[in-house]
Amino acid sequence: MKQKHGFQRKQLAIPYAIFLLLFVILPLLVVVFYAFTNEDGHFSLANYVAFFRSGKTVGTLLYSIVIALVTTVICLLIAYPTAYVLSKTGLKSGDALLLLFVLPMWINFTLRITALKEILTLIEGNLAFHPFANTIICMVYDFLPFMIMPLYNTLTKLDDSFIEAAQDLGAKKHHVFLKVILPLSVPGIVSGVTMVFLPSMTNYVVLDMVYNSTFIMGSLIGSYFSAYDWHNGSVISIILLLIICLITALSSRYTEGETDGRVGAMK
Amino acid sequence: MKKAIRNIWIWLVLAFLYAPILILAFYSFTSATMIGTVREFSLENYKTLFTTPELTGMIIGTLILAVGVALLSTLLGTVGAIGSFYSHKRVRKAIELSNQVPVVNADVVTGFSVCILMIVIFHVRKDTFLPLVIGQTALCVPFVYLSVIPRLKKMDHNLYEAAMDLGCTQAQALWKVTIPQIVPGITSGFMTAITLSLDDYFIATYTKPATFDTISTYVVNATKGSQTSIKTALWALSTIIFVVVVLIVVLANRVGNKEESR
């Protein structure tokens, strides 16, 4: 400020800016380059044509969207009442209880899935009978804490005077919920949905661990990666990136000021 | 009545979340090789866990990696956040936009893109650990940045000016006034970075040396048919991690509560 020479605070941004440029932006540009070129390095859309012509890849895309949708909806149906009850238990004990629900987040997810797989095998005998149901159970188990947290944060901030006003004006219970509480909790729902939908679309490890086989979008990258097929792997990345951009653009309207649930989870 | 329904619901959800971990923990103390079979009490799994070089090496490697990545991320993210906070608005917007990329991006894509850049374009050898460390750091720094920025916004900026008026250099004022005020943000960023690194599977598979395994990559391979002794030793690992996480959360909360009541 007053000093013209020497150290200035804003210069501290330089190392991080360089890091971001080199290891966040540049990799994306490389992926874009690979996705739109063929082996000879010429511009080509053939990879995309191949992707949308192949029943296997399009099927995988649709299947992972279905898995992600069902997982998200079930997580929401379980998490919403849970977060609601927690938010009504009073500030101190509510926060302590919340901790119980988000604690599994910090246990390595592969170990948690191993545990769940053992239990499911015990109950069902053979996991092969209900592949879809088991996939969903594992996914919900993995992602439920990520849905509860943002919902709880929104619901505790909810101003009770709105609810009281609605009641005073004669609204019935379900009206109060549908017309006051639900609309006011939209930011929490949206950030919870984004935290669950995207990862469950790409988390092929869960399926891989339970069935040794994978039909989820992310697994395509995995298989192209093991075949050193950078071009097709990049195509999948680009398709995933487009979906991510779409969801982020849609959700950013509702979640002003909300940050990713993974931030500040640990006190 | 209503209260009873609420309680039942809460207990059901808790049971869903904890039953698998707790049941596995119970069986980790027996010689059973399958859940549901009754066997005698045994610490064999814990012995295997701590005496098999393959397992101990993998656990220690994962921990060293997580601490290393978290330290690097915390340094880079904290310094970056301070710098960006005092930068021109346009610079700050650009940094914040790029910072958001790894946060919203699928980890598969982050790992794959770092892998292409480092290994295919730069020809960095995987067994140098460089791609792995950079990949995980690229995932973690943005979260450190996001937990430091709110602290900078809440900080009392007059103190910095006062320190300068009293003769501090910019660097001294930064170190003695700014940093102490944002410590909570730095620690929470560090903790987030550690947990992200420990939980990461995708970036590790794409960038790790072939001979090195993190807990995540090891467990995934182990579930695909391997020795039973290794499989049940992982039950012991799961139990230990559970206990450690519970202890850390309880401790962190105690400290957090004390700070709030001060």
Side-chain angles (χ1 to χ4, degrees):
Chain A
M1 291 175 257
K2 284 165 219 157
Q3 298 165 311
K4 280 214 160 163
H5 309 283
F7 169 73
Q8 276 187 305
R9 282 182 288 184
K10 63 180 179 191
Q11 288 165 350
L12 292 174
I14 297 170
Y16 187 40
I18 294 174
F19 180 87
L20 283 171
L21 221 52
L22 263 182
F23 300 117
V24 173
I25 304 301
L26 191 58
L28 286 186
L29 294 178
V30 172
V31 165
V32 171
F33 173 78
Y34 268 88
F36 288 100
T37 52
N38 55 22
E39 257 97 88
D40 311 322
H42 295 300
F43 175 79
S44 154
L45 288 174
N47 300 325
Y48 291 90
V49 177
F51 178 89
F52 285 108
R53 275 218 181 128
S54 154
K56 186 188 165 246
T57 45
V58 175
T60 309
L61 174 63
L62 295 179
Y63 188 71
S64 41
I65 291 177
V66 170
I67 293 260
L69 271 178
V70 177
T71 305
T72 311
V73 169
I74 294 181
C75 277
L76 192 59
L77 290 178
I78 299 177
Y80 197 96
T82 311
Y84 186 78
V85 172
L86 289 184
S87 73
K88 292 285 160 222
T89 51
L91 221 66
K92 267 275 180 245
S93 54
D95 281 354
L97 267 174
L98 174 76
L99 223 45
L100 264 181
F101 284 87
V102 298
L103 188 140
M105 241 165 49
W106 299 306
I107 301 167
N108 186 298
F109 81 98
T110 58
L111 288 170
R112 285 196 293 134
I113 296 296
T114 313
L116 184 62
K117 188 186 169 187
E118 298 288 341
I119 306 299
L120 288 176
T121 315
L122 175 69
I123 297 171
E124 296 172 27
N126 188 340
L127 291 180
F129 296 134
H130 309 286
F132 187 78
N134 287 332
T135 307
I136 298 294
I137 293 173
C138 290
M139 288 285 197
V140 170
Y141 183 66
D142 192 9
F143 292 115
L144 188 59
F146 294 95
M147 185 67 100
I148 293 179
M149 205 163 62
L151 283 174
Y152 175 81
N153 286 338
T154 309
L155 285 169
T156 40
K157 275 186 231 143
L158 201 140
D159 192 343
D160 280 335
S161 51
F162 285 118
I163 300 168
E164 282 155 24
Q167 283 164 343
D168 289 347
L169 294 170
K172 291 209 179 66
K173 272 202 164 162
H174 62 276
H175 278 137
V176 174
F177 178 74
L178 285 177
K179 303 236 154 146
V180 182
I181 301 175
L182 200 60
L184 285 174
S185 47
V186 166
I189 295 176
V190 172
S191 74
V193 166
T194 47
M195 292 223 28
V196 173
F197 186 82
L198 281 174
S200 57
M201 226 188 118
T202 52
N203 194 329
Y204 60 91
V205 179
V206 172
L207 259 176
D208 195 16
M209 286 178 71
V210 182
Y211 290 112
N212 285 344
S213 70
T214 54
F215 302 101
I216 291 218
M217 271 306 262
S219 72
L220 288 177
I221 296 189
S223 56
Y224 289 129
F225 166 79
S226 22
Y228 300 105
D229 186 345
W230 311 115
H231 296 280
N232 275 314
S234 300
V235 168
I236 311 289
S237 301
I238 294 292
I239 293 170
L240 282 174
L241 276 172
L242 286 178
I243 296 173
I244 291 163
C245 288
L246 192 74
I247 294 173
T248 316
L250 284 177
S251 63
S252 63
R253 268 197 264 166
Y254 298 99
T255 52
E256 288 290 324
E258 291 270 331
T259 45
D260 190 294
R262 287 189 280 188
V263 182
M266 209 87 175
K267 270 191 186 176
Chain B
M1 184 57 206
K2 269 194 84 182
K3 197 147 189 226
I5 295 175
R6 284 180 177 188
N7 283 337
I8 292 171
W9 175 259
I10 290 288
W11 281 108
L12 276 179
V13 178
L14 278 178
F16 174 58
L17 287 173
Y18 284 96
I21 304 168
L22 293 178
I23 294 175
L24 207 68
F26 173 79
Y27 281 99
S28 74
F29 289 106
T30 70
S31 58
T33 54
M34 256 187 72
I35 287 205
T37 47
V38 186
R39 293 283 182 279
E40 73 279 16
F41 174 83
S42 152
L43 288 173
E44 198 55 38
N45 290 328
Y46 291 84
K47 210 181 132 199
T48 318
L49 182 66
F50 289 116
T51 51
T52 314
E54 189 184 281
L55 287 169
T56 49
M58 170 276 284
I59 297 167
I60 293 169
T62 308
L63 291 177
I64 294 176
L65 177 72
V67 172
V69 165
L71 284 175
L72 189 62
S73 306
T74 307
L75 183 69
L76 205 54
T78 307
V79 171
I82 297 172
S84 145
F85 189 74
Y86 293 107
S87 289
H88 190 271
K89 204 177 166 196
R90 241 183 289 155
V91 179
R92 197 171 68 227
K93 285 268 172 224
I95 290 182
E96 257 156 31
L97 193 68
S98 345
N99 189 74
Q100 211 51 31
V101 172
V103 175
V104 297
N105 203 350
D107 294 353
V108 195
V109 178
T110 308
F112 183 74
S113 63
V114 170
C115 162
I116 294 204
L117 178 82
M118 299 295 284
I119 291 152
V120 183
I121 306 281
F122 289 164
H123 298 292
V124 179
R125 283 182 34 199
K126 267 193 191 178
D127 51 15
T128 56
F129 283 91
L130 198 61
L132 177 57
V133 170
I134 285 186
Q136 286 204 344
T137 307
L139 172 73
C140 295
V141 192
F143 291 93
V144 176
Y145 181 95
L146 288 178
S147 42
V148 171
I149 284 285
R151 290 284 163 177
L152 283 165
K153 284 184 184 156
K154 268 195 262 172
M155 188 174 74
D156 184 351
H157 294 275
N158 292 326
L159 288 176
Y160 182 85
E161 298 300 328
M164 297 282 284
D165 289 343
L166 292 170
C168 270
T169 63
Q170 290 224 34
Q172 280 174 328
L174 203 60
W175 184 248
K176 300 208 162 168
V177 179
T178 307
I179 298 284
Q181 290 188 78
I182 59 172
V183 161
I186 299 176
T187 26
S188 107
F190 178 78
M191 292 309 277
T192 312
I194 286 228
T195 50
L196 283 174
S197 167
L198 286 177
D199 213 41
D200 168 61
Y201 169 83
F202 296 99
I203 293 172
T205 24
Y206 292 117
T207 53
K208 75 182 180 63
T211 50
F212 175 80
D213 261 312
T214 66
I215 293 179
S216 304
T217 60
Y218 188 89
V219 172
V220 171
N221 286 330
T223 49
K224 294 178 192 166
S226 79
Q227 299 152 276
T228 339
S229 64
I230 298 282
K231 192 187 90 177
T232 49
L234 289 175
W235 298 356
L237 177 62
S238 159
T239 308
I240 292 173
I241 291 181
F242 174 68
V243 172
V244 170
V245 167
V246 170
L247 285 178
I248 291 179
V249 167
V250 169
L251 278 178
N253 227 45
R254 282 257 170 103
V255 174
N257 282 345
K258 261 189 199 159
E259 262 170 22
E260 265 166 42
S261 58
R262 231 179 246 164

